[in-house]
């Protein structure tokens, strides 16, 4: 998790609480969820915290949270902003891979060494977290006095800079930590920072670049120019951010603007002119979330009046109103719903549970008193868990090796290598086809997967078992494998838009594996649970026609059984016949 170095003296100064000792600060920070990890050689506190609160990646953000905790600040704070005097013009030549830009100007800063160090740390931490190591968003901070803006094309009198695409061997500039002119292409091969981040733009036909009326001064996401380098005597800053997603870079910009506002800076707006629209930035609009009073009390385990909840939300930096109650002191709050305004620097508030967490944090989690629940039941095994354990024991008794595979898989492994087509999920609601083959339901995909091998949640478990067989061709046969695990698919009729279930899958790999062998194992399993099994003929792309049947348990079609198709065996380099089955676990209840 992120670790931020914080100067305790700076923290005392920014909070206005010089009387706080280091130990007092550690206790207060722990109450916020920031854990003290030690000190640097320079005496800075090293604080570790959950990566959702990116607004606390600087001493200014930590100080803001403490001021709310101390009760010195309340509700949503929005910086005053001046009208735009500068424009960022986005030209058609900008690389398609990095089309978005945003920006702001901050004037009147008193930038001492501590403030500059904090800004640099904030920039680095945001790059590493929300910016995905600059791939999704990169920050450039420049000394405004060193920029010369051209007259804006719209004739408004504003000064403009240009976000464009340039050839690798195009215009030259002097990058930071260098004393000679380099082209963007030369930066990637002859500069240490350029070599470090060369992979980010290596596949681009044109490189992103930002120009003023003098020339090139920023090569995002790689490095800034030396001409606009920020130093301790810089008072006015120009902040630009480029990325692959407008929302991400706008939120990063908000965090930086709030940090500089805490240093006495005055935020000035910038117009971002795309070919088809103009954006007014920074976007300091508040978002709205709601949560019911009943949900707050049930999750925190405490009784609160409506006025208390509003007070706690304001102490968490939110604005809140109680809807559905005439008297804020009324303790009959079953129908109360709180409408909360969330400040623009909070990128972590995505769900009503985040509001509950803020209320609990402001109340003080350490002040919650443990108590026995007001119910008279005794804990026991869930029925699904009991059935799952019994089924696993039965499968092991039938000679299967019990497997535990990853729930994540790739679309190629889940569908294509098993002979299935990948269902489309684009446009409109996604509702599974009840007549689709087992495993062919629409996938639950990961928007930004860490690895191309794990891009979705598997829709069935049989591909996982076949992958194990593929990796075990050097092992002795027979190999009888079984797994009981999670499977899921997209279904927009569900509250979460995801339908999950536990599935039972088994494979038999041997020289004489047949449909009858797999059916015999399945029949024995069903007898152990006293359920009726039928296997009417069916077809499935993963299995051989005429050697495939539907698994019908107590009258419900719940799975498939058969001999794997030769093309599936060849795809997985299997030289022996494989018979297998898969069905829903809840059919055995």
């Amino acid at each position: 998790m992120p670790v931020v170095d914080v100067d305790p003296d700076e923290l005392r100064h920014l909070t206005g609480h010089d009387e706080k000792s280091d130990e007092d600060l550690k206790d207060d920070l722990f109450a916020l969820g920031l854990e003290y990890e030690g000190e640097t050689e320079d005496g800075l506190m090293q604080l570790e915290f959950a990566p959702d609160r990116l607004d606390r990646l600087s001493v200014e953000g930590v100080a803001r949270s403490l001021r709310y905790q101390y009760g010195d600040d309340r509700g949503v704070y929005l910086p005053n902003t001046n009208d735009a005097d500068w424009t960022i013009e986005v030209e058609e030549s900008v690389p398609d891979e990095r089309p978005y830009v945003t920006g702001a100007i901050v004037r009147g800063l008193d930038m001492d060494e501590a403030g500059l160090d904090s800004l640099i740390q904030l920039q680095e931490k945001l790059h590493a977290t929300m910016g995905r190591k600059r791939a999704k968003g990169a920050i450039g901070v420049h000394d405004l006095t060193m920029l010369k803006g051209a007259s804006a094309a719209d004739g408004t009198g504003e000064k403009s800079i240009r976000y464009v695409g340039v050839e690798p061997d195009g215009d030259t500039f002097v990058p930071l930590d260098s004393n000679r002119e380099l082209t963007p292409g030369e930066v990637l091969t002859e500069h240490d920072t350029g070599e470090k981040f060369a992979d980010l733009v290596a596949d681009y036909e044109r490189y992103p670049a930002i120009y003023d009326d003098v020339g090139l001064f920023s090569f995002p996401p790689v490095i800034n120019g030396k001409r606009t380098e920020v130093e301790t005597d810089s008072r006015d800053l120009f902040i630009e951010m480029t990325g692959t997603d407008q929302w991400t870079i706008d939120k990063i910009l908000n965090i930086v603007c709030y940090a500089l506002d805490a240093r006495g800076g005055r935020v000035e707006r910038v117009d971002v002119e795309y070919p088809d629209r103009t954006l007014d930035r920074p976007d300091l609009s508040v978002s709205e979330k709601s949560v019911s009073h009943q949900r707050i009390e049930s999750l925190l385990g405490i009784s609160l009046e409506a006025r208390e909840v509003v007070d706690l939300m304001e102490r968490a930096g939110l604005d809140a109103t109680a809807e559905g109650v005439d008297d804020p002191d009324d303790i009959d709050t079953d129908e109360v719903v709180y409408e909360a305004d969330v400040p623009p620097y909070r990128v972590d508030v995505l769900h009503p549970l985040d509001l509950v967490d803020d209320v609990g944090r402001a109340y003080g989690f350490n002040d919650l008193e443990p108590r026995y629940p007001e119910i008279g039941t005794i804990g026991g095994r869930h029925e699904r868990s009991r059935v799952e354990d019994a089924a696993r024991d039965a499968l092991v008794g039938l000679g299967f090796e019990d497997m535990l595979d990853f729930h994540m898989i790739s679309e190629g492994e889940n569908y294509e290598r098993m002979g299935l087509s990948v269902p489309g999920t684009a446009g409109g609601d996604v509702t599974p086809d009840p007549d689709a083959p087992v495993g062919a339901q629409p996938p639950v995909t990961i928007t930004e997967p860490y690895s191309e091998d794990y891009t979705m949640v598997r829709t069935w478990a049989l591909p996982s078992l076949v992958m194990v067989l593929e990796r075990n061709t050097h092992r002795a046969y027979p190999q009888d494998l079984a797994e009981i695990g999670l499977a899921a698919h997209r279904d927009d009729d569900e509250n979460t838009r995801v339908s999950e279930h536990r599935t039972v899958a088994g494979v038999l790999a041997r020289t004489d594996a047949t449909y009858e062998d797999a059916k015999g194992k399945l029949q024995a399993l069903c007898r152990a649970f006293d359920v009726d099994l039928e296997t009417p003929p069916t077809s499935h792309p993963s299995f051989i026609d005429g050697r495939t049947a539907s698994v019908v348990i107590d009258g419900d079609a719940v799975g498939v059984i058969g001999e794997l198709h030769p093309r599936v065996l060849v795809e997985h380099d299997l030289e022996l016949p494989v018979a297998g089955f898969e069905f829903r676990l809840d059919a055995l209840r």
Side-chain angles (χ1 to χ4, degrees), residues 299-337:
L299 289 173
L300 297 180
I302 55 177
S303 297
L304 296 167
E305 297 178 357
R307 185 186 298 278
E308 290 179 289
V309 174
V310 171
D311 175 72
L312 291 170
M313 285 190 176
E314 290 178 351
R315 285 180 52 203
L318 312 173
D319 282 340
T321 56
E323 305 291 339
V325 60
D326 296 327
D327 182 3
D329 293 320
D330 189 357
I331 61 173
D332 185 15
T333 50
D334 290 342
E335 303 300 323
V336 174
V337 174

Side-chain angles (χ1 to χ4, degrees), residues 85-202:
D85 191 38
W86 285 74
T87 298
I88 302 175
E89 296 179 358
V90 184
E91 299 191 358
E92 296 282 0
S93 60
V94 168
D96 294 337
E97 298 90 344
R98 202 174 190 87
Y100 300 107
V101 65
T102 191
I105 288 172
V106 181
R107 298 183 186 269
L109 285 164
D110 184 12
M111 185 70 75
D112 57 10
E113 193 70 37
L116 182 57
D117 289 343
S118 179
L119 177 60
I120 293 172
Q121 177 179 233
L122 177 60
Q123 184 177 5
E124 292 175 348
K125 297 297 182 181
L126 286 172
H127 279 160
T129 52
M130 199 170 182
R132 301 291 178 88
K133 297 181 179 179
R134 304 193 188 188
K136 194 172 185 179
I139 309 165
V141 183
H142 310 271
D143 190 326
L144 181 66
T145 60
M146 301 306 297
L147 292 176
K148 183 179 180 181
S151 297
D154 58 9
T156 60
E158 295 180 357
K159 291 169 282 189
S160 72
I161 64 172
R162 297 178 297 123
Y163 180 42
V164 304
V166 298
E167 298 296 328
D169 58 352
D171 293 334
T172 62
F173 73 115
V174 180
L176 290 172
D177 302 321
S178 179
N179 292 310
R180 63 191 184 97
E181 298 267 350
L182 298 172
T183 66
E186 290 171 339
V187 168
L188 302 183
T189 58
E190 301 179 22
H191 192 286
D192 290 343
T193 302
E195 292 177 0
K196 180 178 180 181
F197 296 104
D199 289 346
L200 295 178
V201 296

Side-chain angles (χ1 to χ4, degrees), residues 18 61 69 87 90 121 139 158 202 221-222 354 404 468 504 550-551 557 562:
D18 294 333
Q69 184 184 29
T87 298
V90 184
Q121 177 179 233
I139 309 165
E158 295 180 357
V222 180
D354 297 314
L404 180 61
V468 174
V504 183
S550 178
V551 176

